[in-house]
Amino acid sequence: MVIDFHTHTFPDSIAERTVAGLAACGGLPPYTDGKKSSLLASMKKSGVHISVTLPVATHTKQEHTINTLSAQWNGKDNLYYAGAIHPDCENVCDTLDFIKENGLFGIKIHPDYQGAHLDDPRYIRILREAAKRDLYVVTHAGIDVAFRDHVHCTPEMILRVLRQLDGALDHKLILAHMGSYEMPDTVLEQLCGLPVYMDTAAVLDLYPEKCVSIIRRHGADKILFATDSPWKDQGAYIRLLRSLPLHTEEKESILHANAEKILCISG
Ligand SMILES: [Zn+2]
C-alpha cells in the first residue's frame, strides 16, 4: 500500500496552461500535464494506491467552487482532497464547517500563493477554527521556487504559530517539503521533534541524506510519503524511499500507515 499525500491536479480546461505557467515560473519540468486523468494514470503506472490532492485558493472567490468539487470527488477514484481557504475569507466558520461536514480531512494553505505570512492574524484565526473542528492543516513551508526572495512560511513563523495556538494544533499541522523547502539544516535544528507532521514532497530527491537525518530525529511516525506530482515522478519517489537506510516498519509508516490514520481509512 502506498499513499502519496501531496499532489496537484487542475481542471482539464486550464491544466495545460496552468502547469506550463507554473513550470516557467519555478523552472521545474512537470511529469504529467496536471489533469486528474493523468494523475490516475501515473498512480496506476507507479503503484500508488491513493493520492491526496491539495488545491490552493489564490483568491477567496475560488473557495466555494473548489470545496464543492472536492467534496463531490473526495474518496472516489482513490483520490482524497483537502479543502481550500484563503486568508481573505470573510466567512471562515461557514467555510470550515462546509469542509468538515463534507468529510474532507483538512485544509491546504499556501502562504506564498495567498500573499500572507503564516503568522498573519488571519491565518492564526483560520488555524484556530480548523483545530476546533478537528481538521488537519497542510501548509507549504520554506522557500517556494517561484518566490525565492520572499519566504512566507519560515521555521521561525511555524514556531511562533505553534506557540500562539498553545497546543490546539498539535499533531494536526502538516508541514510540506520536509518541514521547510531547501532549509533542511534549520529544520533539523528548530523543527524536529515538534508535534507536527512533515511530508517528503519535492525534496526527497534533492537531498535524500538530509531527509534521512530529519526522519531519524523527527520520528518516522510523523512523516508522510509525498511527491508534489506533477512536479515529481511518483514511481521514482517510491523507489527512492524504499532505498533509504530505514527500517521496514519506518518505511511502512511513511508510505501509508501514518496517512491512513489521518484519512481514517484502514490499509
Ligand atoms: Zn505542492
Side-chain angles (χ1 to χ4, degrees):
M1 177 77 155
V2 175
I3 301 177
D4 182 345
F5 212 87
H6 186 146
T7 68
H8 302 283
T9 60
F10 304 93
D12 283 4
S13 54
I14 61 158
E16 277 175 57
R17 186 160 35 100
T18 309
V19 168
L22 288 168
C25 266
L28 287 173
Y31 283 85
T32 79
D33 61 10
K35 293 178 184 166
K36 183 172 153 182
S37 55
S38 307
L39 174 63
L40 293 173
S42 164
M43 288 162 64
K44 196 165 178 212
K45 189 176 115 207
S46 313
V48 172
H49 303 89
I50 288 171
S51 286
V52 177
T53 301
L54 306 173
V56 174
T58 54
H59 193 286
T60 183
K61 278 190 217 150
Q62 298 171 341
E63 290 156 349
H64 186 68
T65 312
I66 295 177
N67 291 332
T68 303
L69 285 175
S70 294
Q72 206 176 306
W73 293 337
N74 190 52
K76 299 184 184 115
D77 290 333
N78 296 318
L79 297 179
Y80 285 78
Y81 289 80
I85 190 163
H86 190 278
D88 290 338
C89 182
E90 280 163 12
N91 46 358
V92 169
C93 290
D94 291 348
T95 303
L96 294 175
D97 283 343
F98 180 88
I99 289 167
K100 184 69 186 177
E101 282 158 16
N102 280 281
L104 304 181
F105 74 95
I107 55 171
K108 163 76 186 255
I109 56 172
H110 197 312
D112 297 284
Y113 283 97
Q114 295 180 323
H117 296 114
L118 185 73
D119 54 356
D120 185 292
R122 292 169 295 166
Y123 273 139
I124 301 278
R125 168 155 184 251
I126 289 171
L127 301 191
R128 192 165 278 136
E129 291 297 332
K132 272 190 210 165
R133 288 161 180 78
D134 227 10
L135 288 165
Y136 287 85
V137 176
V138 186
T139 182
H140 171 88
I143 292 165
D144 186 277
V145 289
F147 302 92
R148 284 192 171 277
D149 48 346
H150 187 156
V151 181
H152 288 76
C153 176
T154 62
E156 291 75 19
M157 290 175 202
I158 293 164
L159 289 169
R160 210 170 299 142
V161 162
L162 287 171
R163 268 198 305 274
Q164 286 207 34
L165 281 159
D166 198 22
L169 206 58
D170 284 8
H171 308 289
K172 292 280 176 190
L173 183 62
I174 301 167
L175 304 173
H177 315 303
M178 220 62 185
S180 281
Y181 187 81
E182 285 188 5
M183 305 170 91
D185 293 321
T186 319
V187 170
L188 277 164
E189 282 163 30
Q190 299 188 10
L191 301 182
C192 279
L194 290 173
V196 296
Y197 286 94
M198 298 182 187
D199 83 25
T200 65
V203 298
L204 195 60
D205 59 327
L206 293 188
Y207 36 81
E209 293 86 7
K210 292 276 185 196
C211 286
V212 171
S213 305
I214 293 173
I215 293 168
R216 289 240 172 276
R217 196 173 293 180
H218 189 56
D221 57 329
K222 292 181 287 182
I223 305 285
L224 300 164
F225 175 74
T227 62
D228 215 0
S229 172
W231 308 112
K232 295 289 175 178
D233 178 56
Q234 291 184 310
Y237 257 50
I238 294 176
R239 288 191 293 278
L240 181 53
L241 193 282
R242 289 203 192 281
S243 75
L244 297 180
L246 297 168
H247 299 299
T248 310
E249 311 84 75
E250 291 176 313
K251 290 180 189 173
E252 293 303 311
S253 296
I254 296 168
L255 282 169
H256 65 94
N258 301 334
E260 282 163 7
K261 270 187 234 154
I262 294 173
L263 298 173
C264 295
I265 52 175
S266 46

